[in-house]
Structures are given as structure tokens and as C-alpha cells.
Amino acid sequence: MADGEGWPTSTDNPAVRRLSDWPAEPLRDLADEFGTPLYALDLDRVKANTGRLRSAFPEADLSYAVKANTTRPVLETLANRGVGAECAAAGEVQRSLAAGFPPHRVRYTAVNPPARDLDYVCGLDDAGGMILTVGAMDTLNRVAERGFDGRLCVRINPGVGAGHHAKVSTGAEPKFGVPYDRAATVARRAADRGFELVGLHAHAGSGIAGDDLSDHRELVRRMGTLAADVEDRLDFVAVGGGFGVPYREDDPALDLDAVAAATREAYAEGWRGGANDTAPPQLAIEPGRYFVADAGVLLTTVNTVKPTPETTVVGVDAGMTTLVRPAMYGSYHAIRGLEPDTPRRELVPCDVSGPVCETADVLGRDRSLPDPARGDLLAVGNAGAYGYEMSSNYNSRPRPAVVAVEHGEPRLVARRETLADVTRFEAEAEDS
């Protein structure tokens, strides 16, 4: 890819980038240089998405749900723009600090944290104002046992859940947070025990859009009321993120300005419904997917074409170990051919299948694609969130490479694993 020629620019900031908006030639150049399967991330699009979130929520504290994509350039890009890091595990805390997030902009929001995670987070010498979130009285006790005396946030279960799939709807799931009717008591106990209680946190779920927005609004309203009922002065009330992006080609883009307005209105309504007549704590949001989903594509090569009476099975070198969302959630990702002669080919019904011996290992069913041939390059859209993050070595398959592009210039983020990498820890255990 010469001097970024043909690569999308950030001069405009559309509400969503569709797979059809990615130019084919630069993607072919990336595949030629780095091989497939390959995740390609556009850091300029991450910056543009950050700007749109800031514009919609100008007065809110903005953090990034790190679990969506933890690659170092993405984290550095967001840290350099003053975004906070919302971390679900000790490893995400470590990555965020290493990428340059100031400790006071890091929030550890774990669910049932393992002992070794708490040991690491509570024992950080450079904690520097990092916020630790607890979702159970037992977790509060475990934190106290480790001598943590820093800033604390309490996660609430508001009894309202939403999201694109039942597996990611968290707001009403007992696993997540202190039950709403006990939340004020737990918050006051935390303050009474000497913790610096700075915030409350809740999250409805992931991929929220359309009808789910009413549930999000209700969650925000309840959190506003709860904040007014807590006697101690709070710095913030975090209402999660989970803002959806359109995965299907004809899905409308999320009206982020309308979501922001509804969020502010619901928060103010909840606060007025409480006992406190002072100004409410700062509203905080923690999107993940919205920052990065449409900033990434997955490139994959056709290795087998098999016509059958039902469909044409297009076998590719990426599968559920590369991108698990279709297998795990039944998620839809747009798929597009990138060959120069693609526009001249006849469209045929296809199933795009991976190399894993599982019926679920299908990236897309019933797709109309240009008549496929072995060696063709395909692109899978909206792969920037929960793509590489959820890849695995199932079937002892090496994980793919990742490349980041900024101002049209690519750089390798994660090299492609080898077969030796897959068995490295076993070999090291045998040698120890």
C-alpha cells in the first residue's frame, strides 16, 4: 500500500462505515503483505468515533470498555485522547497502564474477580487514584482484606437488561452487581469502612439499539434516583455503554445524538425523583463496540469451493477460532468479495464456512456473493470489536495476525502465531 493510496480518510465522519466503504485495493495490498486470516484496524476511524461520542456526550466522562479490543495501538490512540479505560480483568488493567492511560483514568470493574486478579490490582504500587469497582459485599470484604484504601465504585444490578443477545444482557442478570434494593446500604457501608466512595456503576448489556433504548433509559433513570438516595457525595454515576452498531448492510445507524439526549433526560428525571436537590454527580459512559467495531475488517482467503444442491459452500482460512461471534451469538457480519473482477461475476447463493470441524463454524449463511473461486480474497465487516479478542487455539489452530493502519500506513500489531506457538507452554512445562 503505497503512501496510504486509496485508504479511507478521516476528513468526514459518517455515523457508520459500511463494509462497502472500504476500498478493495488497499485491503488486497494488506493481505499480500501480511497474509490471511488478517485483522485490519483503522486507527483514524477509532479517532473519528471518539470525536462523535464526545460531541454527543460533551459533559459526560468518557471511558472505553477495553474488552472490545485490547490491541496496543487502539489503547494508545484512546489514551492519547484523554479517554478513560474501563477494565474487566487484571490483564486489561496491565495493558491499559502500559499503553499510557494515567492510573486515575483506569477503572477496574471485575465480576467475581479471581484472587490473583485482586492481588495484582490491590497491590499496584502506581495505583495513583485508580478506581476499583465491587459488585458484591463479599468482594468489598476481599478488597478490604488486601488493604486497598483507594477510590471505590459500587456496581449495581438495576433489574433492567438489554442487548443484541441474551448472553450479553447484563442489567437484570443476578451475576452482575449489588441488587438495586440493597445498593444504597452497601454504598454507605463502603463509605463507613473508610473507603473513598466515588461512584456507582451499572450496565444494561451490549449492542443496544432500537427497542432496547427504552430499557437503557429506564436503567439510567433508576441510577439517577439511587445516586440521589446515597448520602455521600459521588463524583460520577456510570451507566455503561453497549451502544449498538449496524451489522447488516441495511440496518440504520444509531442516532447517537438522540441516545445522548434521552440519557441526559432520564438521568435528570431520576435525580429529581430522589431526595437530593443539589446538582447530580457527573454522568459517565463506557462504550466499547462503538469505538472500534466499524474500524476493523477481517480478511480471509477462499481455499475450497464446493457446489451442493442447497448452496455453494465457500471454504475459507478463517473460522470460529478467528471470529467466534457468528457461532456464539448467531451474529451477522457482512461479507464482500475483493477481487478486481468481482463486479463482473454472477451472484450465487453461498455459505461461507471455516476449517473447524463444527457445524457452527460458518461465518455467513445464505449470502449472495460473486461466483467464488479458490484464492479469492473476502472481507468480513465490523470485525474491530470482539474479533481478535475472542479468537482461540481450538483445534490447535494458530491465531491470526493483526495490522493497524494510521494515515494509510500499516504496521504489524500482532504477528501470526505458528504451530510452535500453539504448543509453546506445554514444551516449556516439559523442559522446566
Side-chain angles (χ1 to χ4, degrees), residues 100-119:
F101 285 93
H104 73 276
R105 296 292 289 136
V106 176
R107 188 155 62 246
Y108 174 60
T109 311
V111 179
N112 304 328
R116 62 174 58 90
D117 279 29
L118 282 184
D119 290 343

Side-chain angles (χ1 to χ4, degrees), residues 258-273:
V259 172
T263 301
R264 287 189 290 269
E265 291 169 4
Y267 186 48
E269 178 184 337
W271 181 258
R272 286 194 299 269

Side-chain angles (χ1 to χ4, degrees), residues 134-178:
V134 298
M137 193 67 201
D138 195 30
T139 306
L140 182 67
N141 294 334
R142 296 170 67 201
V143 169
E145 290 167 3
R146 287 164 171 80
F148 181 83
D149 58 0
R151 298 196 295 166
L152 194 81
C153 177
V154 176
R155 180 166 186 168
I156 312 302
N157 186 314
V160 180
H164 69 85
H165 193 282
K167 293 179 181 178
V168 297
S169 178
T170 59
E173 169 61 42
K175 173 179 177 178
F176 300 97
V178 176

Side-chain angles (χ1 to χ4, degrees), residues 230-353:
V230 173
E231 294 174 359
D232 296 88
R233 177 64 182 168
L234 302 170
D235 292 342
F236 66 87
V237 173
V239 295
F243 305 139
V245 300
Y247 281 84
R248 294 181 181 271
E249 296 91 333
D250 55 355
D251 282 348
L254 184 69
D255 188 341
L256 191 62
D257 290 333
V259 172
T263 301
R264 287 189 290 269
E265 291 169 4
Y267 186 48
E269 178 184 337
W271 181 258
R272 286 194 299 269
N276 201 326
D277 59 0
T278 60
Q282 184 179 24
L283 184 71
I285 59 169
E286 306 160 345
R289 183 190 315 271
Y290 198 91
F291 280 103
V292 293
D294 70 355
V297 295
L298 170 63
L299 303 179
T300 184
T301 301
V302 175
N303 53 43
T304 307
V305 178
K306 181 170 62 175
T308 73
E310 299 86 4
T311 188
T312 297
V313 178
V314 183
V316 296
D317 60 2
M320 62 186 289
T321 57
T322 318
L323 177 66
V324 76
R325 295 188 74 253
M328 178 174 284
Y329 306 123
S331 300
Y332 181 99
H333 286 260
I335 301 176
R336 169 189 166 198
L338 296 176
E339 296 305 313
D341 65 344
T342 290
R344 299 190 297 273
R345 298 190 195 180
E346 178 185 359
L347 294 177
V348 298
C350 299
D351 285 356
V352 181
S353 300

Side-chain angles (χ1 to χ4, degrees), residues 42-52 77 81 406-407:
D42 183 357
L43 299 181
D44 293 312
R45 180 62 185 175
V46 176
K47 298 172 193 175
N49 289 339
T50 304
R52 189 164 45 259
T77 296
R81 276 153 184 77
E406 189 170 21
H407 306 312

Side-chain angles (χ1 to χ4, degrees), residues 369-426:
L369 295 175
D371 194 13
R374 193 188 322 146
D376 282 354
L377 182 66
L378 302 181
V380 182
N382 274 345
Y386 306 104
Y388 184 71
E389 284 305 300
M390 299 180 77
S391 61
S392 74
N393 292 130
Y394 180 51
N395 274 188
S396 291
R397 296 191 182 279
R399 296 203 303 162
V402 183
V403 63
V405 182
E406 189 170 21
H407 306 312
E409 293 297 324
R411 58 179 163 132
L412 189 64
V413 172
R415 67 168 174 81
R416 188 176 314 285
E417 290 181 348
T418 65
L419 291 177
D421 290 326
V422 174
T423 58
R424 177 166 61 91
F425 295 121
E426 297 163 59

